[in-house]
Amino acid sequence: NAGVTQTPKFQVLKTGQSMTLQCAQDMNHNSMYWYRQDPGMGLRLIYYSASEGTTDKGEVPNGYNVSRLNKREFSLRLESAAPSQTSVYFCASSDRGQVNNEQFFGPGTRLTVL
Amino acid sequence: QKEVEQNSGPLSVPEGAIASLNCTYSDRGSQSFFWYRQYSGKSPELIMSIYSNGDKEDGRFTAQLNKASQYVSLLIRDSQPSDSATYLCAVFGGSNYKLTFGKGTLLTVNP
C-alpha cells in the first residue's frame, strides 16, 4: 500500500497563476483533508471531505477550491495564486466511521508563489 | 475556539534520558488525542493515540491523558538522536468533528 500520495512534490508559481494539487489514498478511507503548514502557525485545515460527494470549509478556505473526485481522490485548486499561499500543503485521510479519527498524511507539496 | 497548546521548545535532552512533552487543550468535550512526529522537511507521522484517562505504552513511548486537567503528555524513554524531531499534539472531537493541532515542540536529543 502506498498510503496517501500527493503530486507534485514541489511547485513554483507566479502571482495570478492557477494550479491543482492532487491527492490519492489507497486505504479505503471515507474522509480526506487538505492542510497547510506555515512556520509559527502549525497545521491549519483548509477543506475537508467527510465522505464521497461532500466537502466542507475548514479554518482557512479563502482562495482555494476542492473536488472530491471519487472515494480515492481529493484535489485542491488555487484559482489565482497569491504570495500568501506560499506554504507546504499536506493531504490526509481517515476512516471517519471510527470515532478515533486517526489521520494519515501524504508527503506534502512545497509551493512557492512569487 | 478550540485550542491546543504546546511549549515550542526547543527541548534538549541527552541520549538515553527521558523526554517529556506536554500538551493542554481547551475543549472539554474532546474525545481522542494523538501525537505525531514530524522530521524536518517531512510529513507528520502518527506515533500514539489515546482515548481514555491513564497511560498507554508502546515501546519506548508512553502517552498519558488526564481529561479532568485537560492535559496530554508523551514520554520518550531511552531517547535516541533519531528521536530528534518536532512533536505535534492533536485533539479530536468536542464541538466539531475536526482534528486540531498544536504548533509542536521541537525535541533535540544530544549524543
Side-chain angles (χ1 to χ4, degrees), chain B residues 29-104:
Chain B
S30 299
Q31 300 166 306
S32 308
F33 307 86
F34 307 95
W35 284 98
Y36 286 81
R37 177 176 62 198
Q38 187 174 25
Y39 293 114
S40 180
K42 301 296 185 182
S43 61
E45 173 193 9
L46 181 66
I47 56 172
M48 289 289 284
S49 307
I50 187 166
Y51 311 110
S52 55
N53 281 331
D55 295 359
K56 178 182 177 182
E57 186 175 320
D58 184 359
R60 294 187 296 112
F61 298 98
T62 300
Q64 299 174 316
L65 173 61
N66 183 327
K67 289 187 178 180
S69 300
Q70 295 175 244
Y71 179 87
V72 192
S73 66
L74 179 71
L75 300 178
I76 307 175
R77 290 182 301 282
D78 189 24
S79 295
Q80 301 297 308
S82 58
D83 295 326
S84 297
T86 296
Y87 289 80
L88 304 173
C89 174
V91 175
F92 174 73
S95 58
N96 59 53
Y97 276 87
K98 293 188 183 71
L99 195 59
T100 303
F101 286 84
K103 294 181 181 179

Side-chain angles (χ1 to χ4, degrees), chain A residues 4-15:
Chain A
V4 180
T5 57
Q6 293 182 237
T7 56
K9 286 185 170 53
F10 301 92
Q11 184 71 48
V12 178
L13 293 177
K14 294 181 180 178
T15 297

Side-chain angles (χ1 to χ4, degrees), chain A residues 6-79:
Chain A
Q6 293 182 237
T7 56
K9 286 185 170 53
F10 301 92
Q11 184 71 48
V12 178
L13 293 177
K14 294 181 180 178
T15 297
Q17 288 185 317
S18 62
M19 78 162 293
T20 299
L21 282 66
Q22 305 287 355
C23 174
Q25 53 91 10
D26 63 2
M27 295 178 283
N28 201 35
H29 283 165
N30 291 312
S31 302
M32 299 183 74
Y33 310 83
W34 277 106
Y35 292 90
R36 60 178 290 173
Q37 187 174 40
D38 303 290
M41 299 297 292
L43 278 161
R44 293 182 291 170
L45 183 65
I46 304 171
Y47 270 95
Y48 69 101
S49 171
S51 60
E52 187 178 354
T54 69
T55 60
D56 283 290
K57 295 178 180 179
E59 183 184 354
V60 288
N62 291 345
Y64 305 95
N65 285 302
V66 291
S67 296
R68 183 74 182 267
L69 304 171
N70 48 55
K71 190 171 185 179
R72 289 186 63 249
E73 298 173 288
F74 188 38
S75 63
L76 178 72
R77 183 161 177 84
L78 287 70
E79 291 290 353

